[in-house]
Amino acid sequence: MNEIARWLYIAFFAIHIPTTLLVDSQALFPPALFPEFAKKTLQNFINDYKDPLMSPPRDMWFISLIWTEVLAQLPFFFVAVYAFSMKKEWIRVPAAIYGGFVCATMVPILTVLATHSGAPGYQSTPLLAMYAPYAIVPGVLAIHMVLEQDGRMFHQLPVDPKKIMGPPEEAILPFPPEEAKERIAKMEAVVMFEKGLTQSDTSGTGRIVIPKAIAESHFPSLNDPSEGVVLRVIDVFGTTRGVKFRFWVNNSSRMYIVEGTRFLLQAFKLSVGDVIMFAKDTEGQIYVCGRKGTKDDMFRKPPSFTRKKKSKIADGSSKEGKGNGHRREKTKASTSPSREQDYSKDTMEKSAPARQKVRTLTHAETELDGSYVYWNGQSFPPRADGVFRAVSITRVRQPDQVSVQFGMWCATVTLAGEQYQAFFDSKDASVAALATAEQSIL
């Protein structure tokens, strides 16, 4: 819908409010309820134009139509002014119903005005000219609402977004951060979250993990992990695509993912370290854009390593399960070149046998803890709830292990190239959760 039509509808409904309250309703209520200027206005109109409908005595069928105007249409006038002013998509169906109803009621009114031959000096043409817009505008409104695309009435993309934003072949991709924000703003959308791309994101699987809080707040609700919802997303070039939103069951919790995102990475020429942005407008339409990663994103994908089958505990002892057949054995510091690249000397000391159950974190460990930030860019608020959450923006890769972080026990596990962490109040609970997680992915 263009702006001219929108403002026309706003003016149409806004004019109806005082007309109904001060003029038309005089046919229903005592004159004492109306101001003097309103009574004079109606009387002058009757004297000048000899209106057979508003002149007393009024026909009962016409009075019944005025009752519908006061009781049903008048409240809708306020709703319509608000909805068209605020660009609310839900007004489409009510406006279509209103337009059709008013057109039907105007048929007998216009018929009477056109065929009336009453008082001397009566001329139907001026009255028809004044009444006709109250039939034409609702008729156009009804047709307009029926033809409008559901959900995109007010927030359609520009006719040619490439002329405004620049064609993809001429754009410098990935976009610099400021240009990416500008393009999202052009879509009248607000960024929901940004995802720093990992190796698994760009490996060709076309799958991106969505934070649970974001997924449950901004995406459709899901009940069955085998099912999914196809979402329509629009990139800043104006291309509409379909992606599938679903979830996996993860340790009695949920891991939400969006599948079919390979085209997005290709469209914006994104690679490991770049950032994909998800935005949403006031009507729920999802937009995407890609930008270049920066130092502020705190992202570096560490070298891959082979996951050990047995979990290592940060205090130096291996897990001893009750009834699970695991033996207690001393851990040894890894001497492989790849592991030496990942860990500093202070960090390697974490594998030395501990002399106490919970020891004080070293400087390197404290720095490591501070580097763990949720990949949506928000600061890490650890919660000892036992739920594994993705930790994809890190400076140092951890092995699968139980360690002390933020004053709580933390279980770290790697799945499909991504690391996940869960926090617990006790060491035994973290060890048991890590064992369960490792067995589920073997």
Side-chain angles (χ1 to χ4, degrees):
M1 176 185 295
N2 59 49
E3 287 296 289
I4 296 178
R6 186 173 72 91
W7 283 107
L8 174 63
Y9 296 145
I10 293 174
F12 175 78
F13 288 112
I15 292 173
H16 262 73
I17 295 174
T19 302
T20 301
L21 288 173
L22 300 176
V23 179
D24 295 349
S25 57
Q26 291 188 44
L28 306 177
F29 303 106
L33 297 178
F34 300 92
E36 193 64 30
F37 78 90
K39 292 185 287 186
K40 288 183 177 180
T41 300
L42 177 59
Q43 190 59 47
N44 292 336
F45 173 78
I46 295 174
N47 294 336
D48 294 340
Y49 295 97
K50 307 297 189 295
D51 188 342
L53 297 175
M54 293 301 294
S55 300
R58 301 174 180 92
D59 294 334
M60 186 55 64
W61 68 269
F62 183 70
I63 293 178
S64 66
L65 293 182
I66 297 179
W67 273 114
T68 63
E69 179 183 0
V70 172
L71 297 179
Q73 297 182 43
L74 180 60
F76 180 76
F77 296 154
F78 290 94
V79 174
V81 169
Y82 166 78
F84 281 100
S85 298
M86 303 304 294
K87 299 182 178 181
K88 300 298 182 180
E89 297 286 344
W90 47 259
I91 194 61
R92 190 177 71 90
V93 174
I97 296 174
Y98 165 82
F101 172 77
V102 172
C103 281
T105 61
M106 289 301 296
V107 171
I109 292 175
L110 295 177
T111 301
V112 170
L113 295 177
T115 59
H116 180 71
S117 58
Y122 170 76
Q123 294 182 354
S124 62
T125 303
L127 282 174
L128 288 173
M130 286 187 287
Y131 275 86
Y134 294 98
I136 295 174
V137 175
V140 172
L141 174 66
I143 297 174
H144 192 174
M145 296 299 100
V146 171
L147 296 179
E148 278 288 351
Q149 183 180 3
D150 188 16
R152 301 306 307 154
M153 184 166 65
F154 294 114
H155 291 80
Q156 292 178 344
L157 292 173
V159 175
D160 189 357
K162 297 180 180 180
K163 293 181 179 180
I164 298 177
M165 306 302 297
E169 58 269 17
E170 297 180 6
I172 301 177
L173 300 174
F175 293 121
E178 292 302 323
E179 184 175 354
K181 293 179 181 179
E182 178 184 350
R183 289 173 178 263
I184 289 291
K186 288 284 187 180
M187 299 294 130
E188 298 182 359
V190 177
V191 176
M192 291 190 295
F193 67 97
E194 299 179 338
K195 174 64 163 69
L197 297 179
T198 63
Q199 185 65 41
S200 63
D201 292 328
T202 60
S203 62
T205 60
R207 182 185 301 126
I208 294 178
V209 179
I210 306 296
K212 183 177 180 181
I214 294 294
E216 295 181 349
S217 299
H218 300 281
F219 289 83
S221 59
L222 302 175
N223 297 321
D224 190 345
S226 62
E227 298 178 353
V229 176
V230 176
L231 303 176
R232 184 183 67 172
V233 299
I234 303 176
D235 63 31
V236 294
F237 299 122
T239 303
T240 302
R241 308 272 186 166
V243 296
K244 190 171 185 179
F245 171 63
R246 56 187 295 263
F247 72 91
W248 295 336
V249 176
N250 177 32
N251 193 26
S252 72
S253 183
R254 292 184 177 187
M255 180 188 301
Y256 293 91
I257 59 174
V258 172
E259 297 179 330
T261 58
R262 185 183 307 174
F263 73 91
L264 296 174
L265 307 185
Q266 296 173 349
F268 296 104
K269 299 182 180 180
L270 301 177
S271 58
V272 176
D274 294 331
V275 176
I276 186 169
M277 307 168 66
F278 287 80
K280 196 175 186 181
D281 64 16
T282 56
E283 302 303 327
Q285 176 61 53
I286 299 175
Y287 298 88
V288 291
C289 186
R291 67 172 177 83
K292 190 69 177 176
T294 65
K295 293 181 179 179
D296 294 336
D297 295 317
M298 295 169 47
F299 178 90
R300 180 178 69 83
K301 190 67 177 178
S304 60
F305 63 91
T306 303
R307 181 179 61 80
K308 292 181 179 298
K309 292 185 177 180
K310 293 185 178 181
S311 61
K312 301 298 180 181
I313 302 177
D315 63 3
S317 62
S318 66
K319 164 172 72 73
E320 182 180 88
K322 295 182 180 181
N324 57 12
H326 287 282
R327 297 183 304 164
R328 179 180 298 276
E329 61 181 11
K330 295 183 178 180
T331 59
K332 297 181 182 180
S334 173
T335 58
S336 64
S338 61
R339 186 62 58 83
E340 291 176 355
Q341 294 175 3
D342 289 343
Y343 297 97
S344 64
K345 181 178 179 180
D346 290 339
T347 308
M348 292 293 291
E349 292 177 358
K350 292 175 63 178
S351 61
R355 292 180 174 83
Q356 55 186 8
K357 190 171 183 178
V358 180
R359 59 184 176 83
T360 304
L361 295 176
T362 65
H363 174 73
E365 291 170 331
T366 303
E367 182 181 4
L368 176 62
D369 291 342
S371 71
Y372 275 78
V373 180
Y374 276 133
W375 52 261
N376 65 350
Q378 305 298 323
S379 59
F380 192 100
R383 291 178 293 175
D385 55 6
V387 177
F388 281 91
R389 296 180 174 87
V391 185
S392 54
I393 301 180
T394 62
R395 289 195 297 265
V396 180
R397 169 66 70 93
Q398 284 191 330
D400 289 6
Q401 65 176 9
V402 171
S403 60
V404 177
Q405 293 194 34
F406 298 99
M408 291 179 287
W409 288 97
C410 174
T412 303
V413 67
T414 302
L415 172 64
E418 299 281 1
Q419 284 203 327
Y420 298 87
Q421 288 186 329
F423 289 87
F424 303 85
D425 292 325
S426 66
K427 175 180 175 181
D428 292 339
S430 60
V431 170
L434 179 60
T436 302
E438 287 187 324
Q439 291 175 4
S440 66
I441 61 177
L442 289 178

